Amino acid sequence: MDHGNGAIHGSEMSNLPLIEDAAIAWKDGQIIYVGSKDGVEIEANEVIDCQGKLVTPGLIDPHTHLVFGGSREHEVQLKLQGLSYLEILSRGGGILSTVKHTQEATEEVLKKKAKFHLDRMLSLGVTTIEAKSGYGLDEETELKQLRVVKALQKEHDMDLVSTFLGAHAVPAEYKGKEEEFLDRMLAMLDQIEKEELAEFVDIFAETGVFTVEQSKKFLQKAMDLGFSVKIHADEIDPLGGTEMAAEIGATSADHLCGASETGVKMLGESETVAVILPGTTFYLNKPEFAPARPMIENNVAVSLATDFNPGSCPTENLQLIMSIAMLKLKMTPEEIWNAVTINASHAINRGETAGKLKVGRQADVVIWDAPNYVYIPYHFGVNHVNSVFKNGKLVVNRGEELATITS
C-alpha cells in the first residue's frame, strides 16, 4: 500500500539515511543546508567542529503525561509486597492518588514541576514532546493542566503538543454511568477550542475503563469538532481498540501490548502510527511487550515514547526506551532511530517541521558523545548528549567541549 502521510512504514524503517563527513547549516532557526562537508558554499558566522561525533535530529517523545501533582514512590513497597493495582487503588493509591494531588496543586506549582521534567528531557536530547492532561477528571483540574502546557509552550525551549485526556479513568461516582461522564468531558471541548488548549483528544479504552464502542463514539464527536484524535488501545486486553483506531483514522494508537493480529494488519493498511511504550511494560514487570516485529512485518509505522507518568513509567529518558526497544522489542538500531524521530513526528502531526534534518525544517539538532548511531541504544542507562540546539539556539551544553571557530 502507498502511504501518503510521510511516516516510515514496515521494512522501510530499516533504511536510515546517513552522511559521512557531513555539514549542517542553519539561519534564523531553519536548516538551509544538509550534505557533504565538501559541498558547503555558505559563509558562516560561526562554525562548530563536531570532531567525528554523531549528529541527529532532536528526539521526539509522542506520548507523555507531563503535568501532574505529587509522586508515587511510596507505592513501591506495596508492589514489592505483591499487592495488585486494584488493592493499591483501594488504599487511596494509584491514579486516584495522582488525581488528588493534581487537584490540590496550584497552576504555578504544576508548572514549576513540569518545567523540571521538561528541562531533564531537553538535556536528554528530546526537543519536541506530546503532553496529556488526564489527572483531573473534572473540568477545573483538566483545564488547569492544559493551561500549564500552553504556558510552557510559550516559555520553554521545548515544543509541546497538547492532548486532552479527560477520559483517562472513570471517577468512582460515575461507575456504571460512564457515558454520562464522557458527555461531561465532551462538553469541555468548546472551552478547550476557544482557549486553544489542545490539538488532540485521547481516551483510555480498556477493561474496567471505557469500552471500544464508547471510545469510538467519543472520538468521532471530537473529530467532528475539528480535533485530531489518539487512543490508549489494547494495553492489556485485545478489546479491538487497535482496529477501531485504524478504522476512524486516528493519528496514533498507543500501548498496543494486547493488539490482535487483525488489529496489526489493519494498522499496516492505515495511516495511523503505532506508538509503543516499552518502558511501561518494563516498569510494571510484565512479560508481554507490544508486538513490534509483527507490526513492522505488516507494514505498520512504528514509533516509540516514554509514557512518562508518576505511576507506570516514571522516566523522562527516551534514550533508555531506545535500549529497551532493542532488547525487548527486538527492533534494530535503524528502526529505533526512525521510531524516535520521523515516525514520532507524524504521531503528533509534526511531520513537516520536526524529526528530520532537512532544508526548510526547524534546526532541532543533537550532537552526541558517540561514534555512531548504534552506540546510543547499545550503551544503555546513561546520557550520551553532548549538546542540543533548538531552533538553531544552543540550549544544552553538557559534554566534551567542541571547538568553535568564529569567522
Side-chain angles (χ1 to χ4, degrees):
M1 177 181 176
D2 179 26
H3 293 276
N5 68 344
I8 310 299
H9 288 252
S11 61
E12 292 299 312
M13 290 181 66
S14 293
N15 299 328
L16 195 65
L18 300 173
I19 305 174
E20 300 285 346
D21 295 321
I24 305 170
W26 57 77
K27 182 180 180 181
D28 299 329
Q30 240 184 15
I31 295 173
I32 59 172
Y33 177 84
V34 181
S36 168
K37 185 170 62 177
D38 297 333
V40 179
E41 297 180 353
I42 297 168
E43 288 190 17
N45 295 328
E46 187 178 279
V47 177
I48 298 170
D49 183 356
C50 295
Q51 303 168 353
K53 299 182 186 302
L54 173 70
V55 180
T56 73
L59 305 185
I60 298 171
D61 193 340
H63 185 128
T64 84
H65 300 258
L66 174 71
V67 182
F68 57 88
S71 60
R72 283 160 44 192
E73 68 275 8
H74 58 282
E75 294 178 12
V76 169
Q77 193 60 38
L78 299 176
K79 291 177 180 177
L80 292 175
Q81 291 170 9
L83 269 70
S84 71
Y85 176 79
L86 290 178
E87 288 171 321
I88 293 173
L89 198 66
S90 71
R91 297 189 181 193
I95 190 173
L96 296 182
S97 170
T98 300
V99 168
K100 178 176 181 292
H101 284 100
T102 306
Q103 289 174 342
E104 292 173 350
T106 66
E107 195 168 314
E108 193 56 39
V109 166
L110 290 175
K111 189 168 87 166
K112 182 178 180 181
K113 190 175 190 301
K115 181 183 180 300
F116 172 84
H117 297 304
L118 274 183
D119 289 345
R120 180 171 284 165
M121 291 175 180
L122 192 64
S123 76
L124 289 159
V126 178
T127 53
T128 303
I129 72 159
E130 181 258 17
K132 303 179 190 293
S133 67
Y135 291 123
L137 308 184
D138 62 27
E139 290 84 351
E140 180 184 354
T141 314
E142 290 293 319
L143 290 172
K144 181 169 61 176
Q145 287 185 270
L146 294 173
R147 286 169 182 147
V148 167
V149 175
K150 184 174 181 177
L152 288 168
Q153 167 63 14
K154 292 179 179 178
E155 299 170 20
H156 202 275
D157 291 313
M158 185 87 74
D159 277 340
L160 287 85
V161 176
S162 185
T163 296
F164 172 55
L165 181 59
H168 192 189
V170 183
E173 63 271 26
Y174 281 95
K175 287 292 183 182
K177 300 185 292 183
E178 289 82 3
E179 292 190 12
E180 185 179 332
F181 176 70
L182 291 178
D183 286 341
R184 183 178 166 190
M185 293 297 100
L186 282 171
M188 293 179 61
L189 293 183
D190 284 344
Q191 182 70 23
I192 290 169
E193 183 179 28
K194 181 180 177 181
E195 293 189 43
E196 298 180 335
L197 293 177
E199 180 177 332
F200 286 94
V201 172
D202 196 347
I203 190 170
F204 192 6
E206 189 53 75
T207 302
V209 193
F210 301 106
T211 68
V212 172
E213 292 73 21
Q214 290 167 341
S215 300
K216 181 178 180 180
K217 181 179 175 183
F218 179 82
L219 293 179
Q220 285 184 321
K221 287 183 177 179
M223 293 172 75
D224 290 343
L225 292 171
F227 290 88
S228 297
V229 298
K230 297 172 161 289
I231 180 173
H232 283 58
D234 299 331
E235 179 179 0
I236 302 167
D237 297 323
L239 301 183
T242 308
E243 291 91 325
M244 186 266 284
E247 178 189 340
I248 69 171
T251 303
S252 74
D254 301 24
H255 281 293
L256 309 180
C257 294
S260 69
E261 288 185 18
T262 300
V264 169
K265 288 178 181 177
M266 287 181 67
L267 276 187
E269 296 168 353
S270 75
E271 306 294 350
T272 300
V273 178
V275 178
I276 300 180
L277 313 167
T280 305
T281 311
F282 169 80
Y283 190 74
L284 293 176
N285 203 25
K286 292 187 173 182
E288 295 299 324
F289 286 76
R293 289 257 54 92
M295 286 181 183
I296 291 170
E297 290 162 8
N298 279 277
N299 210 34
V300 176
V302 174
S303 176
L304 294 165
T306 59
D307 192 22
F308 170 63
N309 72 77
S312 60
C313 199
T315 184
E316 303 94 331
N317 192 348
L318 193 55
Q319 294 176 50
L320 176 60
I321 301 306
M322 294 167 72
S323 297
I324 296 173
M326 180 182 71
L327 295 170
K328 296 297 185 180
L329 301 180
K330 309 302 181 186
M331 291 177 68
T332 67
E334 294 82 4
E335 291 165 347
I336 289 166
W337 278 101
N338 278 316
V340 297
T341 54
I342 190 64
N343 280 2
S345 74
H346 284 281
I348 54 174
N349 287 347
R350 294 298 182 273
E352 299 306 312
T353 56
K356 184 183 287 190
L357 299 178
K358 182 179 179 181
V359 172
R361 296 203 177 205
Q362 295 173 179
D364 295 351
V365 179
V366 180
I367 302 172
W368 304 86
D369 283 323
N372 54 66
Y373 68 89
V374 179
Y375 192 84
I376 307 298
Y378 148 78
H379 187 161
F380 76 100
V382 299
N383 186 2
H384 296 284
V385 166
N386 177 291
S387 44
V388 179
F389 294 84
K390 178 63 185 170
N391 291 318
K393 182 179 79 170
L394 180 63
V395 292
V396 174
N397 188 10
R398 61 171 301 278
E400 176 186 328
E401 195 69 26
L402 299 178
T404 301
I405 307 163
T406 304
S407 57

